[in-house]
Amino acid sequence: MKTIVICSGGLDSVTLAHKVAAQHELVRLVSFDYGQRHRKELDFAAACARRLGVPHQLIDISEIGRHLTGSALTDDVEVPDGHYAEETMKTTVVPNRNAIMLAIAFGVAAARNAEAVATAVHGGDHFIYPDCRPGFINAFQSMQDHALEGYAEVRLYAPYVNVSKADIVADGAKHDTPFAETWSCYKGGVRHCGRCGTCVERREAFHLAGIADPTDYEDPEFWTKAIGAFAAEEVK
């Protein structure tokens, strides 16, 4: 499939880009500036595109993002530390973010005659993010079938939607993903903090996959305390 990958520069989407490059025809990476508290991850997305030899399209939707208030990722709200299963992690939800990004990416795919849009949503996201769940993915595909009827046929490729982040790490190792060239931390410092939800999840995923984690963390041991206190339950 001629595929566009939505790439944030994080571990999941960069791994997906390498997977698509190996198994399909990767035609471009699309990233979004939605007014997130730091743009560091977007540099890693651009580097991924250069590495894989495809165009990188950065789409500015920051004006939209300014209206999606209340999230620690877009507002002046402190990013919480801990496991995604903690109630405080709901502050990292940006309402409808994936729906907005996917709708734009499908428009780009239709305009450029691509056959698929790939997104790296995964099972570990189900607990906290409603627009990462299988029900949303299926419903979005149905909506786009109607939205593009008679004009284009574009598939939503979400190979990780029912697997864990540890499975993504294993798949990334299989496809030679340079994990050190990815950025997950919500705080955007010089190094990964090791304490926010996405750092904890990242560190745990490498441990469960049995693969060495090349990430440089400010607090490399905090994750053990975080996962010992909480366990996320999957939400369908």
Side-chain angles (χ1 to χ4, degrees), residues 109-155:
R112 295 186 173 275
N113 297 315
E115 298 169 286
V117 170
T119 179
V121 300
H122 64 86
D125 289 333
H126 295 177
F127 179 82
I128 194 72
Y129 302 120
D131 57 0
C132 290
R133 297 171 188 164
F136 167 77
I137 294 298
N138 294 336
F140 191 90
Q141 179 68 74
S142 178
M143 182 269 288
Q144 284 297 307
D145 289 344
H146 288 287
L148 295 173
E149 186 176 5
Y151 182 79
E153 292 185 9
V154 181
R155 296 293 91 197

Side-chain angles (χ1 to χ4, degrees), residues 84 122 124-125 165 196-206:
Y84 268 135
H122 64 86
D125 289 333
K165 197 178 187 82
C196 68
T198 190
C199 277
V200 169
E201 183 191 41
R202 180 183 176 112
R203 182 69 184 86
E204 180 185 19
F206 278 100

Side-chain angles (χ1 to χ4, degrees), residues 1-3 5 15-27 52 115-116 118 157-160 170-176:
M1 294 185 295
K2 292 182 179 180
T3 305
V5 172
T15 293
L16 179 58
H18 278 260
K19 179 184 183 70
V20 169
Q23 298 180 345
H24 300 281
E25 182 180 349
L26 177 63
V27 294
L52 295 175
E115 298 169 286
Y157 181 51
Y160 300 141
D171 197 46
K174 176 182 174 183
H175 293 105
D176 298 319

Side-chain angles (χ1 to χ4, degrees), residues 47-140:
C48 179
R50 290 193 296 271
R51 187 167 58 246
L52 295 175
V54 297
H56 177 230
Q57 185 173 5
L58 177 58
I59 299 175
D60 185 354
I61 57 170
S62 56
E63 183 59 33
I64 296 173
R66 274 193 282 273
H67 297 281
L68 307 180
T69 57
S71 172
L73 303 192
T74 56
D75 277 0
D76 187 18
V77 177
E78 185 176 357
V79 175
D81 293 339
H83 196 284
Y84 268 135
E86 296 189 52
E87 185 70 19
T88 54
M89 289 301 159
K90 289 183 178 179
T91 63
T92 65
V93 173
V94 179
N96 245 24
R97 178 179 58 174
N98 279 350
I100 293 166
M101 292 179 181
L102 281 169
I104 294 171
F106 264 72
V108 172
R112 295 186 173 275
N113 297 315
E115 298 169 286
V117 170
T119 179
V121 300
H122 64 86
D125 289 333
H126 295 177
F127 179 82
I128 194 72
Y129 302 120
D131 57 0
C132 290
R133 297 171 188 164
F136 167 77
I137 294 298
N138 294 336
F140 191 90

